[in-house]
Amino acid sequence: MKAYFLKLCFLLFATAAYSQAGHIMQGVGAVNMSMGGAATGQPLDISGAIQWNPASISTFDEKIIKFDLGLFFSSPELSSTVTDPTGNVFSGTTEDDRGVSPLPALAMVWGKEGSRHTFGASAFGISGFGVTFPESTTNPINMPQSMGGFGRIESNYNLLQLGFTYAYELSDKFSIGLQPTFNYATLKLIPNPTANPTLAGYPSTDNSTAFGFGGQLGLFYDSGNGFSAGASYKTKQSFGDFKFDNTYLDSSTGENEFKMDYPAIWSVGLGFSPGQFDLALDYRYVQYDKTDGFSTVGWTPTASVAGFGWDNISIVSAGIQYKGVDRLPLRLGYTYSSNPIGSDVAFFNVPATAIIKNAFQLGLSYEISDRWAIDGVYHMGFSGEATSGPILNPELVSSFPPYGAVPGSEVSYDMTTSMLMVGASYKFLN
């Protein structure tokens, strides 16, 4: 029953949580997404507050429950070029055929006017990546393994995070908060580059699962005259190993393990609310260089891939809310993220191409009553310039260190994303 319950929660709240910044969701819920993900110093709703600064839930003096559901569309394209020994150049492009993915979020806060204590609970899909590039006879990297390609390339990674949040008001202006977090993740790779290849090539694997834990600490300041600020530290989420049951093209089987944690995130944010406007600005620093699965890079001695080799990234989120229309607040949001994937390791990251440099959001809410409100947001994201680099071969490391770049070759990928999300919140009035 425990395993069934975990699977049910995962299906409901972390089905294809495809990310925007690295492999991190830029925001949670329609309100927070419409503000570009900015909430560390400007908590406009409980989902954004719980996700980015546990101390900021102290601003909510009621019991509130919120649910959001989005439909996420992505369109990655994978291109590659190779040059044969005679100088002939072969190139092609494959489009992803994954389709639409749901993106839910559930949060609840227990607050009470006059109390210094506020509690929260959440179930968020906070991370993910996934592609489905069909086998091709025209795109070199998607050619069958028997012809030197990888054939069909498919990946699916999702992370469900359960959080339990507590905030305490030190004074009328300062609050502190903490949040233990518990995580459940699945990972599927076709082919599986973390396994040792045989004469039959790299194997395929079904979904593997791993459990992890971590936490978040936060500080929040509310001046009382429209200015607010916050800071938080989300620790690395430490996971156990993914254990893969592999099947090779010749029907032989094998097993391997791969460890992939979730990176630590530092966030600082400012908020300002002059009159009918709410302004929010967040900066985040994501530490991939201290994260298993992302910090390591290159080939192992047995020609499996040691890790993704991602760099640390910066994320800037900004949003503005206008409250001049009665019961109909309007929002605009923007998110910028640097690219964690360098050109020298682009080849290792073909299964994880969900990198968005610029994202734009337009959202609104309708306050039906003092208890009910509904929210909506539309998102568009662009990867900017394509991520590209040479195709790598472990047999060429000695000739072309450090990773064995194949002369005259290139692999590149870019993508756009769009999403439509709606949400509803309910306040239990005292």
Side-chain angles (χ1 to χ4, degrees), residues 15-234:
T15 304
Y18 296 104
S19 50
Q20 307 300 299
H23 76 315
I24 297 165
M25 284 304 300
Q26 69 183 59
V28 173
V31 174
N32 186 231
M33 285 289 291
S34 65
M35 294 292 287
T40 308
Q42 183 71 286
L44 297 185
D45 83 312
I46 63 172
S47 295
I50 287 174
Q51 173 67 0
W52 298 120
N53 187 357
S56 68
I57 69 169
S58 62
T59 61
F60 301 99
D61 293 328
E62 309 95 350
K63 183 165 67 173
I64 306 170
I65 187 169
K66 191 172 195 310
F67 177 74
D68 296 270
L69 179 64
L71 296 177
F72 192 90
F73 306 80
S74 62
S75 54
E77 290 186 349
L78 176 63
S79 302
S80 65
T81 300
V82 296
T83 305
D84 70 14
T86 64
N88 293 319
V89 177
F90 301 90
S91 62
T93 298
T94 306
E95 296 183 356
D96 181 275
D97 64 1
R98 178 172 292 268
V100 182
S101 302
L103 185 61
L106 177 66
M108 191 166 185
V109 159
W110 292 263
K112 185 177 182 180
E113 189 172 358
S115 174
R116 293 182 179 271
H117 308 275
T118 309
F119 302 88
S122 58
F124 296 149
I126 65 166
S127 176
F129 57 76
V131 297
T132 304
F133 295 120
E135 187 174 275
S136 169
T137 57
T138 57
N139 188 0
I141 199 166
N142 287 124
M143 287 183 176
Q145 291 199 47
S146 60
M147 299 174 63
F150 282 109
R152 176 184 176 88
I153 297 175
E154 182 177 351
S155 65
N156 193 57
Y157 171 74
N158 290 295
L159 193 161
L160 165 67
Q161 184 168 91
L162 303 179
F164 301 93
T165 308
Y166 170 69
Y168 179 74
E169 294 184 38
L170 297 171
S171 69
D172 292 340
K173 296 182 178 180
F174 286 96
S175 300
I176 60 172
L178 59 86
Q179 179 191 64
T181 51
F182 305 91
N183 306 277
Y184 176 73
T186 67
L187 178 62
K188 176 181 180 180
L189 296 169
I190 299 176
N192 178 10
T194 69
N196 299 332
T198 67
L199 294 177
Y202 288 92
S204 297
T205 182
D206 292 328
N207 275 326
S208 177
T209 63
F211 293 91
F213 65 92
Q216 186 174 198
L217 302 172
L219 299 171
F220 182 70
Y221 169 76
D222 187 348
S223 68
N225 59 13
F227 173 78
S228 57
S232 70
Y233 174 64
K234 187 184 288 285

Side-chain angles (χ1 to χ4, degrees), residues 14 34 42 87 116 125 133 164 170 191 267 270 303 319 327 334 338 341 387 403:
S34 65
Q42 183 71 286
R116 293 182 179 271
F133 295 120
F164 301 93
L170 297 171
S267 298
L270 299 174
R327 292 187 176 271
Y334 169 73
S338 55
I341 301 174
T387 301
Y403 307 126

Side-chain angles (χ1 to χ4, degrees), residues 157-362:
Y157 171 74
N158 290 295
L159 193 161
L160 165 67
Q161 184 168 91
L162 303 179
F164 301 93
T165 308
Y166 170 69
Y168 179 74
E169 294 184 38
L170 297 171
S171 69
D172 292 340
K173 296 182 178 180
F174 286 96
S175 300
I176 60 172
L178 59 86
Q179 179 191 64
T181 51
F182 305 91
N183 306 277
Y184 176 73
T186 67
L187 178 62
K188 176 181 180 180
L189 296 169
I190 299 176
N192 178 10
T194 69
N196 299 332
T198 67
L199 294 177
Y202 288 92
S204 297
T205 182
D206 292 328
N207 275 326
S208 177
T209 63
F211 293 91
F213 65 92
Q216 186 174 198
L217 302 172
L219 299 171
F220 182 70
Y221 169 76
D222 187 348
S223 68
N225 59 13
F227 173 78
S228 57
S232 70
Y233 174 64
K234 187 184 288 285
T235 71
K236 179 178 72 174
Q237 308 295 302
S238 299
F239 280 83
D241 292 342
F242 288 101
K243 298 181 180 180
F244 295 113
D245 294 321
N246 301 307
T247 302
Y248 292 84
L249 294 177
D250 61 1
S251 298
S252 62
T253 60
E255 298 178 349
N256 79 289
E257 298 181 357
F258 183 69
K259 183 174 177 60
M260 191 169 76
D261 292 334
Y262 184 84
I265 304 173
W266 297 85
S267 298
V268 294
L270 299 174
F272 186 50
S273 299
Q276 299 294 336
F277 292 90
D278 294 311
L279 308 176
L281 178 66
D282 277 14
Y283 170 78
R284 305 192 212 291
Y285 184 68
V286 183
Q287 292 185 285
Y288 282 113
D289 67 343
K290 301 182 184 300
T291 307
D292 287 346
F294 296 94
S295 58
T296 51
V297 64
W299 304 100
T300 69
T302 55
S304 62
V305 174
F308 291 115
W310 285 17
D311 299 324
N312 296 341
I313 62 172
S314 294
I315 304 168
V316 178
S317 299
I320 180 170
Q321 176 176 254
Y322 175 63
K323 300 175 291 187
V325 182
D326 186 43
R327 292 187 176 271
L328 193 72
L330 308 174
R331 305 181 193 92
L332 289 172
Y334 169 73
T335 313
Y336 165 82
S337 173
S338 55
N339 191 342
I341 301 174
S343 60
D344 58 334
V345 297
F347 175 79
F348 292 130
N349 288 278
V350 169
T353 62
I355 306 299
I356 295 298
K357 182 177 181 179
N358 298 290
F360 304 88
Q361 287 78 215
L362 174 64

